[in-house]
Amino acid sequence: MRLGLACLSFLLCALLFFLITYDGGARKIAITFGRDIELKEVSIDLQNLARDGHVQVRKEDAKVNNKLAKKIKGKDHNHMDPELNVFFTPKDLKIGKKMPIYFAQRNASTSPKILPREESDKIPFSSKHLPSLLKFFSFPKHSPQAKAMEYTLKHCEFQAMEGETKFCATSLESLLDSTRQIFGNSCQFSMLSTTHLVNSSVPLQNYTISQVKNMSVPRVIGCHPLPYPYAVFYCHSQQSDTRLFVVMLEGEDGARVKAPAICHMDTSMWNKDHVAFNVLKVEPGTSPVCHFFPPDNLVWVPLPSAL
Ligand SMILES: *[C@@H]1O[C@H](CO)[C@@H](O)[C@H](O)[C@H]1NC(C)=O
Ligand SMILES: *[C@@H]1O[C@H](CO)[C@@H](O)[C@H](O)[C@H]1NC(C)=O
Ligand SMILES: *[C@@H]1O[C@H](CO)[C@@H](O)[C@H](O)[C@H]1NC(C)=O
Ligand SMILES: *[C@@H]1O[C@H](CO)[C@@H](O)[C@H](O)[C@H]1NC(C)=O
């Protein structure tokens, strides 16, 4: 019964998500990138990826990430990119703890559309097709959009690291199928994402922790949107020691946010240039690194009944 309900609510949730994000009437694929796609946006997405600690290890990524690290190091702490206010350490996870956090509110009208599989299957998704894709979407070769698309395709083509499972989803169906494949062939998983229970127009502000729930899940799949003309999620799951929490936060302007947060307990293998070490002023391996997920990320977990 519990499983049945879970499946039902999951399907409803997925359907809702689908209805909200896919404009079924429009046959033509929206070619806006949603967000103003500038290189700044690409670097923000890189930070998004960097938060999960895997970026450092790859040669291809290290190059971009070092550039990013330099950019951040060049500024003093007060002038760091506000979006980096998502890192913390497990000792901060206490009721009453106050800290500055950046939560941009999701804006559905500016998010790229998630396509149904029948649409996305018609469009090749591979960097060897980039020239024809640029033609298809009418983006000039050296435009920021072209760079963003190249970046996204390359990211999706990187091999997973040891102990890591990754996939890119270009449709709702592939997102669900690949998630199910990782958790096993059952319906017992659910999605968490950062949600504003009371809205706010102040992205960076001090929040006070009012509740912490330790999720004790054996596996977490984190999905980050990548810049592309339609919704593309880069999802990955690491075998390494992680803890997942759901944290209730009260903003100074009255905002209330429910946010999943992950703690990476062992950071000894991370590159010392990782942005998190810069922000938290700790050395690799000396402290676990935790972070909140931005509202446009999806976090999949097995349901407790499946444990
Ligand atoms: C969402 O984005 C649109 C277009 O940029 C803007 O007009 C609107 O005010 C935004 N909504 C919110 C809630 O930020
Ligand atoms: C928050 O704002 C969004 C629009 O940006 C709206 O759809 C949603 O209902 C609002 N939520 C609350 C709790 O007011
Ligand atoms: C958060 O609070 C501290 C101390 O109360 C203050 O110095 C800081 O400017 C605040 N940060 C933000 C982003 O409001
Ligand atoms: C969360 O739960 C795990 C085990 O499920 C435990 O090892 C850990 O100490 C807990 N963390 C906190 C902060 O309560």
Side-chain angles (χ1 to χ4, degrees), residues 2 18 36 111 189 209 222 294:
R2 195 166 167 196
F18 187 78
D36 259 351
S111 299
F189 55 91
I209 294 180

Side-chain angles (χ1 to χ4, degrees), residues 120 123-127 129 133 152-153 156-157 168 170 228 230 232:
S120 75
I123 312 166
F125 189 76
S126 133
S127 48
H129 288 111
L133 285 168
T152 291
L153 291 167
C156 289
E157 287 160 7
C168 279
T170 56
Y228 212 67
Y230 51 92
V232 173

Side-chain angles (χ1 to χ4, degrees), residues 191-212:
M191 190 193 84
L192 304 169
S193 69
T194 293
T195 318
H196 279 78
L197 303 177
V198 174
N199 280 336
S200 166
S201 56
V202 187
L204 176 65
Q205 59 174 305
N206 280 313
Y207 284 88
T208 304
I209 294 180
S210 62
Q211 214 180 306
V212 179

Side-chain angles (χ1 to χ4, degrees), residues 48-113:
N48 234 325
L49 292 165
R51 276 171 203 149
D52 273 14
H54 67 286
V55 168
Q56 310 303 312
V57 189
R58 288 191 196 105
K59 210 170 56 217
E60 301 89 329
D61 282 331
K63 228 174 18 200
V64 203
N65 212 72
N66 281 341
K67 220 161 61 189
L68 195 69
K70 259 185 223 138
K71 197 180 103 188
I72 292 156
K73 256 187 203 156
K75 303 172 178 181
D76 62 65
H77 193 73
N78 293 329
H79 293 109
M80 75 173 187
D81 192 325
E83 302 205 9
L84 290 175
N85 280 286
V86 289
F87 293 107
F88 59 95
T89 61
K91 65 177 189 322
D92 296 323
L93 268 187
K94 281 196 295 266
I95 290 167
K97 168 77 186 181
K98 189 169 115 176
M99 59 179 147
I101 310 171
Y102 185 93
F103 284 127
Q105 223 170 293
R106 187 171 18 203
N107 186 338
S109 70
T110 59
S111 299
K113 285 191 165 47

